[in-house]
Every structure is written in structure tokens, then in C-alpha cells.
């Protein structure tokens, strides 16, 4: 633990890697040590800004995160980059690629880059990433970026562990409105249109269409800002409203405007109390989610359940046994286990 | 059980009411009897068409269901109407009103109307409604309509227990795009614009906007029908594609067209196998949902959990204990119960 909290850069880096490896271990004794370590580190966590970044493959996440990371280091920050790669939880493969990404950032002493845990359920991977984030915070990284690919439930997982969730889009998103998924837009605090320099018109159209979709989904309410009285306008100003920004990570254009928006978000959310309440709510939801997962796991691995399940599934599927009766029988068998 | 399956109308009606009251009872011995009854009735179920109907208060659900019910009875059908009223699960009150609704339909011998169970969680109410549906099917009602108010999770519950899910809209929906909720549109097999006679232009606008929203949400793909080859067009014709219909329940206009669309849906879904697979999947999902609910219930009512929970919630909320550690501690205490 001391190694994580202080020491020279090389010693600390090794201690962080060792701590995260411990967290990722599936051995029960390691897990007990990991719990002890986390509890000890916890008072030293929470001082960073937690930034989630998502986008489909090819949107330029790595390029953007590298440019942003170098920009932040130049401004005196220390930056940790963690990754949740949903593909690794299915195939052991990787959409996000290996450690050779972000070559410039990875050699920086003030940056720490850790790829996704390479196996386990998404819930398990998300838990380990969440815990790795705490280790990085305790080690003094004041910006923690959690990256994920815009597929499936991994976006929700990342949004639920960060202070701000950024969705990256390509300028041709406007050609395919179906790419604007409501579920993701609801999570987004900020939408970034990357590669905006390739086609300025397409980028403008994409921005207009994303804003229109946000209004359609009820995520942005322009009427509130425009038509209400001063008191309500003042209240409106105290809340963050999702924004859309254009930039070009490859040409390092718009990164300063991006960070200015992030800081505006952070200041507003700190002042109106939402940063703190979001973190508290995230911790409690996380606890309940892990409990639900654990309850299901215990049920499905209960030999009494396993013995009954195949026959009951068949009977329910064939319409010979009411689903609710089957559920009650299984729950009753599970409750009577020693 | 015999009374449910046969006998004169009055005897059968009393037997159905008695069976449903038994299902709704919270007494453990009643529950055991109910399970026995359901299992015995199950071979006699599944022959009806299960139609879910949802819409906000004021959209005209009762008027429509009454007109539809009378139309079906005149065509020789027997119609059961069940209701899931989400307000009753919260307040004991009722958005949907009492039994005095549908006065003409309720006096028909070939109609059976049963209001929502008056208390319990939404999951519990949905379970009892699902079971009441089976009782009505065994009693020979060949159209079962399950009605709900367009709020919260009750729409999902109804969609998950019916063969076809219909969403009713008002013609002024076009004025308020936010009323078109993606989650509900994803569930809808058919959208009905009621009161279309009040303002024909508004109804046309509403229809266009609902269709546009369906395309935006990726629920309807016109391109597929228009631009592909014949083989794909033929396959397209074998699938149901959500439709939008205008009608006026109050003036009994469009009810025949509505039922024709329902029959088209039923024939397509029967031919392509989706009616059967949807029912099988509903039964299995229902079983797993009841299991999840039961596991959570057992956890939250475990005295060992109750003793630890307040302190752990506080520590997790305050950031003094990792959420995952708290979850593991609680699960471990729960697993060790006798």
C-alpha cells in the first residue's frame, strides 16, 4: 500500500501494477488481500476527475485520448487511462487493441495506461476497472480516463463509474440516424464529433442531427432556456446541459475547447452538488448490482437448482408448468440449502 | 377446476372469479392450491389470442376496448378484459377507474371483465394478471385483452405477457414529440391514433411523426421493402412490420380495420413461428424474472443482512468502504443462513 501512495515514479508504478494484478486475481486469498488493500486506500481516493469516453471502433478514441493526455500532462496533470473492452469478456480477443496504442503517452512518467482485464463477465471486468480506478486515484492521478467501445452494456458500466461521460461520433453519423442510440445519448454529458476537419459540412449536419435527436429524446430543452422567466433561467444556468463539440484529434484541434467544457461541467456539478451525489449514488448502485449478480451466481451454482432446472425449463417451455410455479419450486429448493 | 372449464355461464363466471381470488391471495395454503389449480388448467390454456393495449389516461382505452369487445362478441368471440393498473400498486388508488367502466360490455354474457389486483408490487400484480389470463383461457375466452396505463414498467409487463402489443396515441402527439418514447415504440406491434375524427390534419401529422420516429428508432426499415430483390421482398412479406392506424372508438370508426390488422398479425406470426416462440420465450423470461425477484426478496428479508445493512450503506455512501467489499460481506452473511 505504501508503494501505491508514495515513492519514486518507478517504485510507485510497480506498486500500482502489483495492486491491480492482485485485484484481478480470482484466488480467494488474493481477493481478501485486495479487499484489505482497497479499504486502506479508500481514504486517499476521490480526488481525481473521472472521465468516461466511448465510441465505435474507428472513431479515433486512442488518438484523442493520447492527444488529450499529453495536453493534460503539459498542464501539470497526472493521467491514468483504463479500458473496458467488452470483446475481451466474450472471446478473449480485443477490439481496442493492445498496449502498443498511445505510444507517446505511454512513455510519459506522469501517465499510467492499463488495458482491460482480459477475461470474465462484463460485470466482473467493470468491477475490476472500478477498483483499479481507486488505486490510480490513491496514487495521485488527478484525471482518470475510462475508455470503452460503443457496443452493448459496457457504455452503461463506464457511465456508472465516471463523473462525466463523453460519446465520440464520426461526422457521417448524420447519414445514418439509427446510429444515434437513445440509450447512449441519455448517458452522454458531452458528444464529441471527431474528424470534423475531413468534411466541415458533414460535421455541421451531424451536429445538427445529434442536437435534434437530443431534443427528440427529451434530453435538451431549449424552450426552458428561451421562454422562461429570469429565476428559472438562473436555475437553468446552474445545471449542466449536454453539449455537442466538433474537434479533430489527429490535428490536435479543439482539444483545449474540449477540456474547457469538461472544466465547466466539473465546476457546475461541484457547485450544484451533483458531482458528489452522483458518486454516492454510483457507489450504492454498484453495491446492489454486485449483490444481484452474486445472488444469481449462487442460485445458478446451487446443486439442488441444477438438479431440477433442466426438467423445469422443458416443462415451462412446453407450456406444461406455469412459470411462476417453476420459479417458486426452484426458489424453495435453493432456500433450503445448508 | 371443473367449474372453470364448463358449466352454465353463471356457474362458470363464479368459478373464474373464485379461481382468480385464490390466485390473488397472499396466504401460503391458498398459494399452494392456486399452483395446483394452475397446473391442472394449463393443458386447457394457450388457445386464445392475447392482446395488450396501452395508452396514457384520456386516450380512450375503455371506450375502444368496449367497442372492440362488442364487435368481437357480435362476431362470435368470447372476450376477457384484464387490467394492470400501476397506480394501484403504489397508492391503492386507481388511474383506470373501477368496475363501472365498460357498462355495455360488462353485462354481456360472453364477456368477462376483471380489474387490476388492488395491491402488491408491479411484478406481483403482473404475475397475478398473467395467471388470471390462463384461467380465462381455460374457461374458453378466445380473445384476452390486457389493458394498462402508459406509465412506467407496466407496459413492458403487458407486452411480455401478450401476443401483440398495441399502443394508443392521441392525434396531438405530433405537437409533443417527447411523448413518443422509444422504449414503448420498441414494444409496439401496432400504434393506434384514437379520436382521429376530431382533427383529421392533426391525426395525419401524428401518423407521419410516429412513422418517422419508428424509422429513427430503427423499428421500421422502408428501404428494405423498396430497394431489395424479390427474394428479400418475399421474406420481408413474411415478417410483421409495425403499423400505424387511425380510428375513432367513440364513433365506432376503424374498429373493423383494426381487427383486420390484428388478424393479419396473428396469421403472419403463426405462419412464421413467432407466435409460438414469443410465448415460449415469455414463459421462460417470466420464470427467470420471478426467480430474480424471489432471490432479492429473500436477501432483503434475511435478518443477518438486515443487521449489517444500515452501517454498510452508510460506509459505502460516505466512501469509507468499497462497494464491492460491502457486497461480498453481505452475500457471505446471506449464504451462511440456515
Amino acid at each position: 500500500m505504501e508503494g501505491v501512495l508514495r515513492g519514486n515514479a518507478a517504485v510507485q508504478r510497480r506498486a500500482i501494477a502489483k495492486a491491480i494484478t492482485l485485484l484481478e486475481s480470482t484466488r480467494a486469498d488474493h481477493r481478501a488481500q485486495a479487499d484489505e488493500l482497497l479499504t486502506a486506500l479508500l481514504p486517499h481516493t476521490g480526488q481525481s476527475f473521472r472521465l468516461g469516453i466511448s465510441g465505435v471502433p474507428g472513431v479515433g478514441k486512442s488518438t484523442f485520448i493520447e492527444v488529450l493526455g499529453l495536453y493534460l500532462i503539459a498542464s501539470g496533470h497526472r493521467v491514468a487511462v483504463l479500458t473496458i473492452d467488452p470483446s475481451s469478456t466474450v472471446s478473449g480477443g480485443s477490439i481496442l487493441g493492445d498496449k502498443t496504442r498511445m505510444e507517446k503517452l505511454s512513455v510519459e512518467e506522469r501517465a499510467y495506461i492499463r488495458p482491460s482485464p482480459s477475461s470474465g463477465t462484463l460485470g466482473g471486468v467493470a468491477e475490476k476497472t472500478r477498483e483499479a480506478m481507486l488505486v490510480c486515484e490513491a496514487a495521485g492521478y488527478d484525471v482518470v480516463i475510462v475508455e470503452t467501445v460503443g457496443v452493448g452494456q459496457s457504455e452503461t458500466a463506464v457511465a456508472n463509474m465516471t463523473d462525466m461521460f463523453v460519446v465520440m461520433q464520426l461526422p457521417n453519423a448524420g447519414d445514418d440516424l439509427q446510429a444515434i442510440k437513445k440509450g447512449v445519448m441519455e448517458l452522454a454529458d458531452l458528444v464529441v464529433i471527431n474528424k470534423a476537419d475531413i468534411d466541415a459540412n458533414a460535421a455541421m449536419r451531424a451536429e445538427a442531427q445529434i442536437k435534434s435527436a437530443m431534443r427528440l429524446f427529451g434530453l435538451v430543452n431549449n424552450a426552458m432556456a428561451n421562454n422562461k422567466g429570469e429565476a428559472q433561467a438562473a436555475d437553468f444556468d446552474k445545471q449542466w446541459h449536454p453539449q455537442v463539440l466538433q474537434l479533430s484529434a489527429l490535428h490536435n484541434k479543439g482539444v483545449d475547447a474540449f477540456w474547457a467544457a469538461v472544466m465547466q461541467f466539473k465546476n457546475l456539478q461541484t457547485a450544484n452538488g451533483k458531482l458528489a451525489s452522483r458518486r454516492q449514488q454510483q457507489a450504492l448502485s454498484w453495491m446492489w448490482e454486485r449483490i444481484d449478480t452474486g445472488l444469481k451466481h449462487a442460485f445458478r451454482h446451487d446443486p439442488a437448482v441444477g438438479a431440477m432446472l433442466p426438467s423445469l425449463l422443458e416443462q415451462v417451455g412446453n407450456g406444461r408448468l406455469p412459470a411462476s410455479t417453476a420459479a417458486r419450486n426452484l426458489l424453495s429448493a435453493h432456500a433450503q440449502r445448508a
Side-chain angles (χ1 to χ4, degrees), chain A residues 55-66:
Chain A
V56 295
V59 74
K61 286 186 296 301
S62 296
T63 307
F64 177 58
I65 292 171
E66 176 153 57

Side-chain angles (χ1 to χ4, degrees), chain A residues 64-129:
Chain A
F64 177 58
I65 292 171
E66 176 153 57
V67 166
L68 176 64
L70 293 170
Y71 170 85
L72 292 172
I73 286 173
S75 320
H77 293 285
R78 295 181 67 201
V79 180
V81 180
L82 306 171
T83 296
I84 292 186
D85 184 344
S87 60
S88 70
T89 69
V90 180
S91 62
S94 170
I95 295 174
L96 287 171
D98 58 25
K99 296 180 193 177
T100 59
R101 299 180 319 136
M102 304 185 203
E103 287 184 350
K104 286 180 202 153
L105 187 61
S106 61
V107 297
E108 289 285 337
E109 199 171 83
R110 299 169 70 81
Y112 182 82
I113 301 178
R114 177 96 183 179
S116 185
S118 61
S119 67
T121 62
L122 177 59
V125 165
E127 172 168 318
K128 286 171 197 335
T129 304

Side-chain angles (χ1 to χ4, degrees), chain A residues 16-316:
Chain A
I16 295 170
K18 203 174 149 191
I20 296 179
T21 302
L22 185 66
L23 295 173
E24 292 180 359
S25 169
T26 52
R27 274 175 50 182
D29 58 328
H30 285 173
R31 190 62 248 177
Q33 287 175 51
D35 277 349
E36 214 171 291
L37 175 70
L38 276 178
T39 306
L41 290 179
L42 213 59
H44 306 281
T45 67
Q47 303 302 316
S48 84
F49 188 74
R50 302 165 181 175
L51 184 65
I53 297 184
S54 174
V56 295
V59 74
K61 286 186 296 301
S62 296
T63 307
F64 177 58
I65 292 171
E66 176 153 57
V67 166
L68 176 64
L70 293 170
Y71 170 85
L72 292 172
I73 286 173
S75 320
H77 293 285
R78 295 181 67 201
V79 180
V81 180
L82 306 171
T83 296
I84 292 186
D85 184 344
S87 60
S88 70
T89 69
V90 180
S91 62
S94 170
I95 295 174
L96 287 171
D98 58 25
K99 296 180 193 177
T100 59
R101 299 180 319 136
M102 304 185 203
E103 287 184 350
K104 286 180 202 153
L105 187 61
S106 61
V107 297
E108 289 285 337
E109 199 171 83
R110 299 169 70 81
Y112 182 82
I113 301 178
R114 177 96 183 179
S116 185
S118 61
S119 67
T121 62
L122 177 59
V125 165
E127 172 168 318
K128 286 171 197 335
T129 304
R130 201 184 153 87
E131 293 175 346
M133 181 172 76
L134 298 175
V135 173
C136 292
E137 284 188 350
Y141 292 91
D142 65 331
V143 179
V144 180
I145 297 173
V146 186
E147 174 194 9
T148 195
V149 171
V151 290
Q153 294 297 308
S154 62
E155 288 171 315
T156 308
V158 171
N160 287 346
M161 71 175 71
T162 51
D163 299 321
M164 183 177 196
F165 186 66
V166 175
V167 174
M168 293 181 71
Q169 291 271 0
L170 288 170
N172 66 356
D175 297 337
D176 181 9
L177 267 180
Q178 295 178 24
I180 304 174
K181 294 178 292 177
K182 188 189 179 202
V184 179
M185 285 295 151
E186 279 177 338
L187 298 174
D189 298 302
L190 182 66
V191 176
V192 162
I193 300 169
N194 193 23
K195 307 189 185 178
D197 52 339
I198 294 177
D199 183 341
N201 287 332
M204 289 307 296
R205 277 200 307 278
E207 179 174 334
Q209 291 199 304
I210 291 166
K211 284 180 175 170
S212 161
M214 283 176 156
R215 277 190 297 274
L216 175 68
F217 298 147
L219 304 175
V220 175
N221 191 346
N222 285 343
M224 197 201 279
N226 298 334
N227 301 332
K228 301 283 173 163
E230 274 183 40
Q232 279 161 306
D235 186 58
F236 184 86
D237 291 342
K238 287 180 193 153
Q239 309 300 322
W240 175 259
H241 303 275
Q243 294 183 6
V244 184
L245 278 185
Q246 298 183 26
L247 57 77
S248 167
L250 190 64
H251 298 106
N252 206 346
K253 280 184 192 156
V255 176
D256 44 358
F258 170 82
W259 191 249
V262 172
M263 284 301 98
Q264 192 200 346
F265 174 91
K266 185 187 173 187
N267 293 337
L268 268 177
Q269 297 285 94
T270 304
N272 67 22
K274 288 195 178 169
L275 195 83
S277 64
R278 181 165 167 168
R279 285 186 175 187
Q280 185 175 40
Q281 195 209 314
Q282 284 175 342
L284 292 172
S285 319
W286 188 253
M287 187 189 88
W288 287 115
E289 195 188 309
R290 296 319 292 166
I291 287 171
D292 288 349
T293 304
L295 291 173
K296 286 181 196 172
H297 184 269
F299 179 83
R300 289 178 194 198
H301 288 77
D302 179 350
V305 169
M308 294 166 69
L309 195 57
S311 151
L312 291 181
L313 283 176
E314 201 200 330
Q315 291 178 64
V316 170

